[in-house]
Amino acid sequence: MYGIIRANQLDIMLLLCGACGIVTLLIIMTDFLTKKRKKILVHLELIALFLLWFDRMAYIYAGVPGSKAYVMVRLSNFMVFLLTISIVFMFDLYLMDWFAHEGGVEVIPKRLKIVAIISLADMLLVVISVMTGWFYYIDADNFYHRGSGFIFSYIVPVLAPLLQYTVIRQYRRVFTRFIYLALRIYIFVPILCGIIQVKAYGISLVNMSLVAVSIAMYFFTYIDVNKAAGQAHELERHKMEEERLSMKRLFDQIARAFVSAVEKKDDFTEGHSLRTAEYARRIARIAGKDEDYCDKVYYAALLHDVGLIGIPDSVIKNEANPDKWDYEAIRKKPVLGREILSSITEYPYLSQGAYYSHERFNGTGYPEGLKGEDIPEIARIVAVADAYDTMTTKKRYRDARPYFVAREMFVKGAGVEFDPVYANAMIKIIDDDNAGSENREIEKVETEFTCKEYREHVSNAVMIDRFPLVMEFDCEDIRESEDGYSMPSVILFDSFDRRIHDNEKSIDAYKYVEYGEVWFDGHAITTGARNIEVDVKDINLDRGGYKIVAARYEDHVKLEMVCADKQIEAIVALSDSSKATYLALTGENCHISNIRIHKSDEKITENSIRRIADAISYIDRIESDIRNIQIDRERSAATEGIEIKDTLTVAFHSMSLPTSSLVWHCPFAIIFSADDGRVGGKNYKEHALIKLNGEIGGTQTDAANKFTMVKTEKFVNWDTWKAINKKGTEYKILLERKGDKIMFEADNQGIRIENTTILKEHVGKVYIALTGDQCALTDIRIKQQ
């Protein structure tokens, strides 16, 4: 290693001189340093440059005869010794400047001042050494030799940096990580090289290392300043972000306060704008919009109804039938809203949301009758969110509509009243929000209520299914005389809104069916059920309290009711299997309290409930390639899987059940894979769920689906479509598999569906199965090509 350095040290020196000169120019051009710091670093780099340059000259002219060589050898060696001490001195000034500014040290450490004094003293000794030859001397042949006091020339270059390091070490917390590392390198690398050079005579390791660490000092300073600038930028960015969020919070609070004041005009609109804004934001997110755009949608929706402030209270609080409303006054709301919000020029989308959110995709809206994409996009999103919240909340003239009624409106209205992209996004939100809603209904049941008169209060209802419902409660007799009747009872019913209804209008609107009522004395009334059989046993329990266990299998419900002196078993034969069954608690002259409800984990089977009426079947028709199926509730049954090989045609007859009422009460197709070829079978993976009314449902993680639905000229309207399905109609599905792609086509009653399912990983066998909601599928024919 020594040999390589010795042989090439002149070239190395020249290279380092050039590098040092470049760094000096970079420092001069740099703007991130203070004037004094820049001056110190420039001097440091120039000293290092000339140190190495004179050292190189000393080697070049050593032993060379002539007057020029005579002068250069002596001048060069003198400058080498002098500049070596000068580097220590300039580094000392660098440290003093750092402590005075970045370090925040009021009094410069004395050790640094001592280093400055001894450095100046050592420079004087170098001058004296020229005359005495104490540090070095030049012989008659122009060769350099170490003097008797040479070792003393190393005292300041070695001990002074060590003294400086004690200061650096003491105040290390005032240095950044990069600067602290640079300072240690600057001090210890030359010292280490000096120790080596004592043994390696003839190699200028110390001087070359001084130049190298001087160059390194600049780069470490540059990195540190860049990091500090980055941190300052990040701090400033964070501060600006905080200010932005603060302004956003302020705007949000002002907007909400304003909206709250507007909604005070009508109790039935309270909270509407905020709910609409939340739905609108969710719609935008599902549609893939960025967060900034989603915020714009949110505030446009939040303020979309501000025009109400200019509508007379007599119009807003008109409790009459909507047919008698003053529509001319109501239609002024968008215009008033735009006038109010147009002054907020920084956010023009606010006035757009207020003005255009009552436009309709087919051009039937107001105030301008715009159509399709001529309606601003934000307004198209707000229109969907506004419509959903309006339908699902109570109004003066009607109760809230159940979510699936609103869902059907969006299925029907996609591409008609509403932008189909955002209508479908709302449908997804509805499906997500109502998944597992049965469990949430349990939490809504009150824990205590009083019934003085018969059915004076009816509890919130809970759905009965194949997982037994267990309800326990206490009941207190509150009769005022012995002549009255006091008893809790159980009502079994079905209704769109899961509530009891007793007037003809609401019974029709919510498709209310009451199956019957059973009391805890064994008394029962049959209304909409085909039959109720009750078995009563007298018992004598030590404990008080009441208990109900209710479960359902297809079209039969079993109630087990226990109180202190009675054990009752009631079997209820429902009108059919397609409707839901809800249980509500009521009574007469009783105070019901401490209501506790939970669901059992044990699923009942066909043999768990004794059948008291024959099953109602709509599939007593011809069977073809696979068995017929009756789907009483959504996906309650499915055909066996049919493997998709190359090209496949599936044709069948479908009839919606008499109780069906919604557009998706029709056949569905499931594309899936499973080891046994059955829906829900071993290693089951669902790749697509296609509803033949033109929807794609479910959440698939193992495949991507490219789905399109168009209404052809054969499509009349949705009411006609439902009527055709109720009467019974033929369906045909075409499928083709090409590797990991499954193409699906169906064109039935004017609804044309095309879908491509792309499997994310290779699957051996892929199947299609038929299912649906409230429909009977018969005469299923399969043709493989």
Side-chain angles (χ1 to χ4, degrees), residues 234-527:
E234 182 63 24
L235 187 64
E236 183 66 21
R237 191 197 65 79
H238 181 72
K239 184 178 179 181
M240 291 177 66
E241 180 66 14
E242 279 297 313
E243 290 177 354
R244 186 188 71 82
L245 292 175
S246 178
M247 290 298 294
K248 183 180 176 182
R249 285 191 294 269
L250 178 61
F251 178 77
D252 184 73
Q253 291 165 6
I254 293 172
R256 290 192 185 203
F258 181 47
V259 166
S260 178
V262 172
E263 291 180 345
K264 292 294 183 184
K265 291 174 68 71
D266 183 7
D267 295 340
F268 287 89
T269 62
E270 188 172 356
H272 166 69
S273 294
L274 184 58
R275 291 190 300 271
T276 300
E278 293 291 350
Y279 286 129
R281 195 206 299 268
R282 292 174 67 186
I283 291 169
R285 282 175 178 163
I286 290 174
K289 305 299 183 182
D290 61 50
E291 279 304 304
D292 183 59
Y293 191 84
C294 291
D295 283 345
K296 292 179 180 179
V297 169
Y298 175 87
Y299 287 110
L302 184 65
L303 295 167
H304 80 285
D305 259 352
V306 297
L308 278 174
I309 201 167
I311 305 298
D313 290 352
S314 59
V315 175
I316 293 174
K317 295 184 178 181
N318 181 8
E319 298 188 15
N321 188 289
D323 294 337
K324 299 180 181 180
W325 281 355
D326 185 351
Y327 277 102
E328 287 302 316
I330 291 173
R331 283 172 178 258
K332 291 179 181 177
K333 185 185 72 169
V335 179
L336 293 170
R338 182 174 68 171
E339 289 175 358
I340 293 167
L341 297 173
S342 60
S343 59
I344 308 177
T345 55
E346 288 294 318
Y347 307 122
Y349 54 85
L350 298 177
S351 60
Q352 289 178 358
Y355 187 66
Y356 294 109
S357 60
H358 289 279
E359 300 287 358
R360 292 295 174 255
F361 203 70
N362 59 0
T364 59
Y366 63 91
E368 294 188 7
L370 298 183
K371 186 176 182 180
E373 294 187 0
D374 291 338
I375 305 167
E377 184 179 48
I378 282 181
R380 301 201 303 269
I381 296 173
V382 174
V384 172
D386 178 41
Y388 179 71
D389 189 72
T390 299
M391 280 192 294
T392 55
T393 52
K394 183 177 175 63
K395 302 298 177 188
R396 292 182 182 278
Y397 54 89
R398 62 160 173 81
D399 287 332
R401 290 170 179 163
Y403 74 88
F404 45 82
V405 172
R407 186 186 191 281
E408 183 182 48
M409 191 200 73
F410 287 115
V411 173
K412 289 180 175 180
V416 183
E417 293 181 77
F418 307 107
D419 187 316
V421 173
Y422 304 122
N424 289 328
M426 190 70 242
I427 291 169
K428 185 178 188 315
I429 290 171
I430 295 170
D431 291 343
D432 291 344
D433 286 353
N434 291 280
S437 59
E438 291 77 13
N439 292 330
R440 293 196 295 274
E441 290 301 322
I442 291 177
E443 299 173 2
K444 293 180 180 179
V445 175
E446 52 271 77
T447 59
E448 184 174 8
F449 61 88
T450 299
C451 281
K452 183 66 177 174
E453 302 294 331
Y454 173 57
R455 290 200 185 187
E456 180 182 347
H457 184 93
V458 179
S459 73
N460 287 329
V462 185
M463 178 180 278
I464 304 174
D465 55 24
R466 292 180 65 181
F467 293 94
L469 172 75
V470 181
M471 177 184 288
E472 297 176 278
F473 59 93
D474 299 325
C475 183
E476 178 187 353
D477 185 340
I478 59 171
R479 286 179 293 181
E480 295 177 356
S481 68
E482 292 295 326
D483 296 334
Y485 180 74
S486 174
M487 187 66 60
S489 64
V490 172
I491 306 171
L492 299 178
F493 70 97
D494 180 33
S495 174
F496 278 179
D497 64 349
R498 303 184 180 189
R499 295 182 183 276
I500 302 293
H501 295 279
D502 57 7
N503 68 78
E504 187 176 340
K505 185 177 179 180
S506 63
I507 287 172
D508 180 64
Y510 295 101
K511 302 293 186 287
Y512 177 74
V513 176
E514 187 170 309
Y515 300 119
E517 186 172 2
V518 183
W519 283 259
F520 272 83
D521 60 0
H523 176 59
I525 293 178
T526 303
T527 46

Side-chain angles (χ1 to χ4, degrees), residues 543-562:
R543 61 177 177 78
Y546 292 74
K547 183 177 182 179
I548 304 167
V549 179
R552 170 179 172 169
Y553 186 83
E554 293 185 351
D555 59 350
H556 276 56
V557 171
K558 180 179 180 180
L559 292 176
E560 294 176 352
M561 304 165 62
V562 179

Side-chain angles (χ1 to χ4, degrees), residues 460-744:
N460 287 329
V462 185
M463 178 180 278
I464 304 174
D465 55 24
R466 292 180 65 181
F467 293 94
L469 172 75
V470 181
M471 177 184 288
E472 297 176 278
F473 59 93
D474 299 325
C475 183
E476 178 187 353
D477 185 340
I478 59 171
R479 286 179 293 181
E480 295 177 356
S481 68
E482 292 295 326
D483 296 334
Y485 180 74
S486 174
M487 187 66 60
S489 64
V490 172
I491 306 171
L492 299 178
F493 70 97
D494 180 33
S495 174
F496 278 179
D497 64 349
R498 303 184 180 189
R499 295 182 183 276
I500 302 293
H501 295 279
D502 57 7
N503 68 78
E504 187 176 340
K505 185 177 179 180
S506 63
I507 287 172
D508 180 64
Y510 295 101
K511 302 293 186 287
Y512 177 74
V513 176
E514 187 170 309
Y515 300 119
E517 186 172 2
V518 183
W519 283 259
F520 272 83
D521 60 0
H523 176 59
I525 293 178
T526 303
T527 46
R530 287 184 288 160
N531 190 16
I532 297 180
E533 290 187 3
V534 181
D535 181 38
V536 184
K537 292 181 181 179
D538 293 327
I539 60 173
N540 186 13
L541 294 179
D542 294 334
R543 61 177 177 78
Y546 292 74
K547 183 177 182 179
I548 304 167
V549 179
R552 170 179 172 169
Y553 186 83
E554 293 185 351
D555 59 350
H556 276 56
V557 171
K558 180 179 180 180
L559 292 176
E560 294 176 352
M561 304 165 62
V562 179
C563 60
D565 59 350
K566 292 285 189 294
Q567 180 175 308
I568 301 161
E569 180 183 274
I571 305 295
V572 182
L574 306 173
S575 54
D576 57 38
S577 302
S578 62
K579 290 184 176 295
T581 306
Y582 298 98
L583 179 151
L585 189 61
T586 187
E588 182 178 356
N589 283 320
C590 57
H591 176 73
I592 296 172
S593 61
N594 195 24
I595 300 174
R596 294 99 61 200
I597 305 175
H598 70 273
K599 284 264 192 176
S600 172
D601 294 331
E602 295 183 8
K603 194 175 184 180
I604 68 166
T605 63
E606 183 178 5
N607 298 324
S608 301
I609 301 178
R610 177 172 54 90
R611 181 170 281 280
I612 62 172
D614 293 334
I616 297 175
S617 175
Y618 297 97
I619 56 174
D620 188 16
R621 290 171 54 91
I622 186 172
E623 282 193 350
S624 294
D625 296 324
I626 58 177
R627 68 180 181 86
N628 299 337
I629 60 167
Q630 181 171 313
I631 308 124
D632 294 313
R633 292 171 307 284
E634 184 176 3
R635 298 184 65 173
S636 60
T639 66
E640 62 190 70
I642 307 160
E643 187 179 355
I644 304 171
K645 298 178 180 177
D646 298 327
T647 303
L648 172 68
T649 303
V650 180
F652 56 94
H653 183 273
S654 173
M655 182 185 75
S656 296
L657 302 186
T659 54
S660 66
S661 59
L662 301 169
V663 294
W664 58 85
H665 289 163
C666 66
F668 304 169
I670 307 171
I671 297 173
F672 70 98
S673 57
D675 292 352
D676 56 3
R678 295 185 178 277
V679 175
K682 186 177 180 182
N683 293 323
Y684 176 78
K685 292 182 179 179
E686 188 165 298
H687 307 306
L689 171 64
I690 301 168
K691 301 179 181 182
L692 296 187
N693 66 306
E695 295 183 69
I696 186 162
T699 302
Q700 293 79 31
T701 58
D702 301 295
N705 287 283
K706 296 180 179 179
F707 179 86
T708 60
M709 183 275 277
V710 294
K711 297 170 187 171
T712 68
E713 58 185 14
K714 293 180 181 179
F715 182 82
V716 180
N717 55 53
W718 284 108
D719 289 336
T720 302
W721 192 88
K722 287 195 288 186
I724 291 171
N725 276 273
K726 261 196 174 179
K727 184 178 179 180
T729 186
E730 290 292 315
Y731 277 85
K732 182 185 284 187
I733 298 171
L734 304 176
L735 299 109
E736 183 179 2
R737 180 174 184 183
K738 292 183 178 180
D740 291 332
K741 289 185 179 180
I742 297 95
M743 277 69 78
F744 177 104

Side-chain angles (χ1 to χ4, degrees), residues 149-202:
F150 173 78
I151 194 66
F152 294 103
S153 66
Y154 268 71
I155 292 176
V156 172
V158 173
L159 294 182
L162 291 175
L163 193 59
Q164 290 169 336
Y165 180 69
T166 63
V167 178
I168 294 168
R169 179 72 179 174
Q170 180 182 348
Y171 292 95
R172 63 185 179 277
R173 295 187 183 280
V174 305
F175 297 104
T176 61
R177 183 167 61 90
F178 282 108
I179 293 298
Y180 186 59
L181 176 62
L183 296 177
R184 286 187 295 176
I185 291 172
Y186 198 89
I187 288 172
F188 289 109
V189 169
I191 291 174
L192 180 62
C193 290
I195 295 170
I196 296 172
Q197 189 167 316
V198 171
K199 299 290 185 180
Y201 185 73

Side-chain angles (χ1 to χ4, degrees), residues 62-77:
V64 176
S67 58
K68 182 179 178 181
Y70 179 88
V71 173
M72 287 303 300
V73 167
R74 284 156 179 77
L75 177 62
S76 297
N77 281 285

